[in-house]
Amino acid sequence: FFLTVWMTAPPFLILLVIFTLTRANDDNLPSPRIAIIGSGIGGTAASYYIREKFGEEAIIDVYEKEERTCGRLGFANVGGRLYNSGGCVIHPRNQHMVNFTRIAGMTKDDGDDGLMYLYDQVNKDWAMWTTGYSFIDLLLMIWKYGLSPFILGNTVDRFLASFDRIYDLQEKGEAFDTVEDMMFAMGGQEFTRT
């Protein structure tokens, strides 16, 4: 969650949050006023955790450009069937979001049939779907994508191991002057190279 907010937030919002967090340590200053852009699951979680950190003294304003909340969470109608769309996948190693879904009373939806479907929005056609037989599904994936998913999986596992370091850093109360400093503390040069 924290990394997602840092990586997707506009620079002025990051500076606003850093300024607000620094001011919150001074008891002589007025209550912090915090603006959150977007009321999707990230904005909602940010609101919750900021309220938890600063208590009732903080003034939190949430701004949403759409007529409804929830951001990209929702369903898409494809061929007369409803499918989860948007931010419906929360990685089990994202401790903040897993905890937040528990707090919000959300439950895991394992789907209707346990099968996976990939829909190509551009060509309006199914790119791939699984059969439920792991050996056949493995052959189909290799046929369609080659070894790329396995290479990607190894890369993701490596990055997740580095990402997990953020929880230890947060527990120790570590603070960073820049996003780059935080990323370096989590993953060294691999996270900060451009």
Side-chain angles (χ1 to χ4, degrees), residues 5 19-20 24 37 47 61 63 66 70 77 84 89 118 147 163 178:
V5 171
F19 177 71
T20 304
I37 313 299
S47 300
D61 296 313
Y63 297 91
E66 303 297 331
C70 297
N77 188 332
N84 284 323
V89 176
L118 297 177
L147 295 178
F163 179 81
T178 66

Side-chain angles (χ1 to χ4, degrees), residues 54-148:
F54 293 106
E56 293 302 315
E57 298 82 35
I59 302 165
I60 302 172
D61 296 313
V62 179
Y63 297 91
E64 174 59 53
K65 70 176 181 174
E66 303 297 331
E67 292 181 16
R68 67 176 188 86
T69 60
C70 297
R72 292 177 292 155
L73 293 178
F75 295 93
N77 188 332
V78 179
R81 289 191 66 184
L82 287 179
Y83 296 91
N84 284 323
S85 65
C88 63
V89 176
I90 296 174
H91 199 282
R93 287 171 66 177
N94 185 335
Q95 295 176 18
H96 293 302
M97 288 310 294
V98 169
N99 186 42
F100 181 68
T101 57
R102 193 177 311 114
I103 290 166
M106 302 167 89
T107 57
K108 184 179 177 186
D109 178 8
D110 289 324
D112 297 336
D113 52 18
L115 302 178
M116 179 181 74
Y117 304 89
L118 297 177
Y119 187 74
D120 183 347
Q121 287 282 0
V122 174
N123 296 316
K124 304 291 184 204
D125 193 14
W126 293 104
M128 185 186 156
W129 57 92
T130 57
T131 65
Y133 299 99
S134 56
F135 182 72
I136 294 172
D137 293 339
L138 178 64
L139 290 176
L140 287 171
M141 188 181 307
I142 291 172
W143 177 265
K144 180 92 177 171
Y145 300 106
L147 295 178
S148 296

Side-chain angles (χ1 to χ4, degrees), residues 34 83 110 127 135 156 159 167:
I34 301 164
Y83 296 91
D110 289 324
F135 182 72
V156 168
F159 274 96
Y167 303 114

Side-chain angles (χ1 to χ4, degrees), residues 162-178:
S162 294
F163 179 81
D164 285 345
R165 293 183 193 142
I166 191 66
Y167 303 114
D168 293 332
L169 295 169
Q170 289 173 340
E171 193 67 33
K172 293 176 186 172
E174 294 282 336
F176 304 97
D177 293 328
T178 66

Side-chain angles (χ1 to χ4, degrees), residues 8-24:
T8 59
F12 74 88
L13 183 59
I14 292 171
L15 292 174
L16 172 69
V17 170
I18 290 170
F19 177 71
T20 304
L21 293 175
T22 349
R23 289 175 46 101

